[in-house]
Amino acid sequence: MQEEIRFATFNVCNLAPAGAKLYDNLEPLSPAQYAAKAEWTARQIDLLDADVIGFQEIFSQAALRDVLSRTRHYREATVAGYDAMDPAGRMLPTVALVSRLPLAGAGVAWADFPTGMSVSADDNACRFARAPLHVQVILPGGQLTDVVVVHLKSRRPDYRHGDGNDAASYALANLRSLQRRGAEAVALRVLASELGHSGRPRIVLGDFNDIANAVTTSIVMGAGAPCEPGMEMRARLYDANAIQLRQDALRHVGYTNIHDSAYMTIDHILVSEHFHPASPRAIGVLQEVTYLNDHLLRGLPHASDHGQVLARIKLLGNID
């Protein structure tokens, strides 16, 4: 039986076909630019060599499949995902999952918040900006595992019509983005908790647009939440980077984004206690988390503006 499984998350940065108009301030890719981006992305996927990869900023499932056709190790992998468009017919960013492990069925996009959740009178207050994707992956040995790929609201200021160009307007626009991301974090926490009632392992990975100890990320993990005695480990999720066995502060360079010269890790892999070395119910142990981020310092026009996160998990014996 396969003894190690590898999970990764990869924000590809606007993967769309050549000529597709995505944003008013962004020119479409030329055929040559698209080819360069597709080839770079394919090489990076092969370099990750993960069994399961969650993707963000996929504007076209067809483009993702084209990238996979350019890889060496993922041409036969299974793809789960969905396409989305705005009312004007313009492509919207979505998430996707690619797996070399078998899936129990097609993925399910969680477009709506759980019933009763809202943050304002906004028409979109009860929906995710980018619907998380829930996929059930079958691990070696047959264990069914719930994997959720996410992309929470960005830090980009949320300006509204009529806003000024002063400091107060900028601050309020940032607050709106934070409120939206916070609401999505709460909704994701509720949905992930509902999955936890099954007792199956859970992995939530993707672009959280915030650091691991931020309030929003902590909400998703359930850190500090009240629970029944003896259920502390079962109730929450854990940052893979924090519980990995191979901790080495001298070589730790775990950042996935550079913004205004600040190095941040905003892409994360969260796991249930089933992969925590301290859990008596563990079926695997997180050996190591690594970051593929050298390209962030090179300024390659066809590369992603995010680093990738890779988690290596050693399975413990027979997990039937």
Side-chain angles (χ1 to χ4, degrees):
M1 186 183 77
Q2 184 176 341
E3 295 182 353
E4 180 182 285
I5 51 175
R6 297 158 67 98
F7 287 83
T9 182
F10 188 170
N11 183 323
V12 296
C13 186
N14 300 335
L15 180 63
K21 185 66 174 177
L22 307 181
Y23 300 109
D24 292 337
N25 62 348
L26 182 67
E27 288 299 315
L29 293 178
S30 68
Q33 290 171 325
Y34 169 77
K37 182 175 184 62
E39 289 292 341
W40 180 88
T41 305
R43 289 195 299 272
Q44 205 74 357
I45 291 172
D46 277 330
L47 189 60
L48 281 169
D49 195 25
D51 297 292
V52 177
I53 307 176
F55 290 91
Q56 301 84 45
E57 297 197 19
I58 302 296
F59 282 81
S60 164
Q61 297 298 314
L64 176 58
R65 288 184 169 86
D66 175 58
V67 167
L68 296 177
S69 74
R70 299 167 187 254
T71 65
R72 290 179 293 125
H73 304 305
Y74 292 85
R75 295 176 184 176
E76 304 300 323
T78 303
V79 180
Y82 60 95
D83 285 324
M85 290 189 177
D86 67 13
R90 183 176 289 186
M91 294 177 174
L92 293 174
T94 66
V95 302
L97 179 139
V98 171
S99 179
R100 298 188 301 202
L101 298 176
L103 306 183
V108 176
W110 290 338
D112 298 321
F113 286 1
T115 302
M117 276 199 59
S118 64
V119 291
S120 71
D122 190 314
D123 289 341
N124 294 317
C126 298
R127 295 174 62 86
F128 288 96
R130 292 164 290 237
L133 181 70
H134 171 220
V135 184
Q136 292 189 318
V137 177
I138 303 174
L139 301 187
Q143 174 67 62
L144 199 63
T145 297
D146 293 300
V147 180
V148 182
V149 186
V150 305
H151 189 182
L152 299 188
K153 176 68 177 71
S154 73
R155 296 184 174 205
R156 185 177 296 110
D158 183 8
Y159 283 104
R160 302 295 171 89
H161 181 70
D163 281 351
N165 193 28
D166 53 16
S169 295
Y170 177 73
L172 285 171
N174 277 281
L175 176 60
R176 293 188 194 106
S177 291
L178 176 59
Q179 289 174 322
R180 181 69 186 208
R181 188 165 61 256
E184 291 186 341
V186 173
L188 182 58
R189 175 59 190 165
V190 172
L191 293 167
S193 295
E194 290 175 354
L195 288 181
H197 295 158
S198 70
R200 294 188 298 266
R202 290 167 293 160
I203 297 178
V204 179
L205 49 79
D207 179 357
F208 289 74
N209 267 307
D210 229 329
I211 60 176
N213 61 354
V215 171
T216 53
T217 316
S218 295
I219 287 173
V220 178
M221 289 191 284
C227 60
E228 297 178 15
M231 297 293 289
E232 292 82 4
M233 292 199 72
R234 297 190 186 193
R236 60 164 297 179
L237 298 169
Y238 300 87
D239 175 19
N241 181 63
I243 65 171
Q244 63 176 311
L245 292 182
R246 296 185 181 178
Q247 296 281 358
D248 186 349
L250 293 178
R251 68 176 182 85
H252 182 72
V253 287
Y255 60 89
T256 66
N257 186 253
I258 304 174
H259 181 69
D260 288 340
S261 300
Y263 291 68
M264 298 181 293
T265 304
I266 61 176
D267 303 82
H268 309 288
I269 298 176
L270 309 181
V271 301
S272 61
E273 65 159 342
H274 302 82
F275 306 108
H276 196 304
S279 173
R281 290 169 290 275
I283 64 168
V285 175
L286 248 155
Q287 294 290 105
E288 184 177 34
V289 175
T290 54
Y291 298 82
L292 280 65
N293 52 22
D294 289 347
H295 59 279
L296 296 178
L297 300 175
R298 298 175 63 191
L300 303 174
H302 49 269
S304 173
D305 58 352
H306 281 245
Q308 293 79 59
V309 187
L310 173 68
R312 295 176 45 239
I313 299 172
K314 181 181 179 182
L315 296 175
L316 301 177
N318 193 330
I319 58 171
D320 289 344

